[in-house]
Amino acid sequence: MLPSGGLERLNAFSDGVFAVLITVLVLELRPPEIPTFVALLGLWPTWLSYGVSYLFIAIVWANHHHLLRHAKEASARLMWYNFAHLFSVSLLPLATAWMAVSELSPQPVAFYAGVFFLVNLTYIFLIRELIEPMPADVIPPGVRKAMRLRSIATLCLFGFAALIALRYPIAGLVICCCCLAVYLRPEAPGTRKPG
């Protein structure tokens, strides 16, 4: 277990990482060389990549914040699962920039979907660490099952999106966006507030 105040430090550190990632994402945006709206519209792959990634980071942060509310102590295992999760999210600016520069080419979009896969996988580790030990009166078995199903289904879909993107990049990106929609509401229905 980490020293007293460990949970607050873990939350603050995580929030800082998310803030830096959004900043790095924004810094990658470049205006067109020609000062016209047509030139700006010609950068639609960049804007699409940025918009999806910004939404992705917001959704990941909301779900991460929701999960950490259930933490009772900042154990070493929680800390390492959290670092793994943050590492996977930190790959997003690179994946976004590559996808935008390539104008949604197959391999960059597949890599992008692969990053989503890693983020979801590490999120599953956080669920196991924080939700599984909770008492049944706080998070009923049905809610836990729904959370597991949602996580495993989207993990499979992100993997499928990475494979599909190698041939149909737009379809792979659409699958990723559909998976994100499932996480717009971080808490599963029926979950009661912890503690």
Side-chain angles (χ1 to χ4, degrees):
M1 179 174 21
L2 297 177
S4 177
L7 278 175
E8 292 80 14
R9 292 181 68 194
L10 188 70
N11 268 309
F13 176 79
S14 300
D15 288 347
V17 169
F18 282 109
V20 168
L21 290 176
I22 285 178
T23 303
V24 169
L25 201 62
V26 172
L27 291 175
E28 287 295 320
L29 290 176
R30 299 282 183 264
E33 293 180 15
I34 303 167
T36 64
F37 288 122
V38 173
L40 191 63
L41 289 174
L43 294 176
W44 71 266
T46 298
W47 296 108
L48 177 64
S49 302
Y50 169 77
V52 171
S53 295
Y54 188 91
L55 180 62
F56 178 54
I57 290 176
I59 290 169
V60 172
W61 177 82
N63 281 272
H64 180 271
H65 179 71
H66 172 74
L67 275 184
L68 285 185
R69 286 183 355 192
H70 294 284
K72 299 297 183 200
E73 62 183 21
S75 66
R77 189 163 52 185
L78 173 59
M79 181 183 68
W80 286 112
Y81 286 161
N82 192 56
F83 271 122
H85 190 59
L86 294 176
F87 171 76
S88 61
V89 178
S90 75
L91 296 173
L92 192 61
L94 168 67
T96 302
W98 190 26
M99 189 170 68
V101 168
S102 74
E103 297 186 349
L104 307 178
S105 294
Q107 291 180 21
V109 176
F111 178 71
Y112 189 73
V115 169
F116 279 69
F117 180 89
L118 284 176
V119 170
N120 204 67
L121 181 64
T122 55
Y123 182 73
I124 289 171
F125 292 145
L126 286 174
I127 287 174
R128 282 187 163 183
E129 181 67 17
L130 294 170
I131 301 301
E132 294 302 327
M134 297 295 290
D137 62 329
V138 175
I139 301 178
V143 172
R144 293 170 204 250
K145 184 177 179 183
M147 290 179 80
R148 277 194 300 272
L149 286 174
R150 176 177 74 169
S151 299
I152 292 168
T154 52
L155 183 70
C156 294
L157 284 171
F158 284 136
F160 181 65
L163 292 174
I164 287 292
L166 291 171
R167 187 147 176 110
Y168 306 104
I170 299 296
L173 189 58
V174 167
I175 292 169
C176 289
C177 292
C178 290
C179 289
L180 289 180
V182 174
Y183 285 99
L184 283 172
R185 182 176 175 211
E187 67 279 349
T191 307
R192 296 183 189 137
K193 214 171 187 177

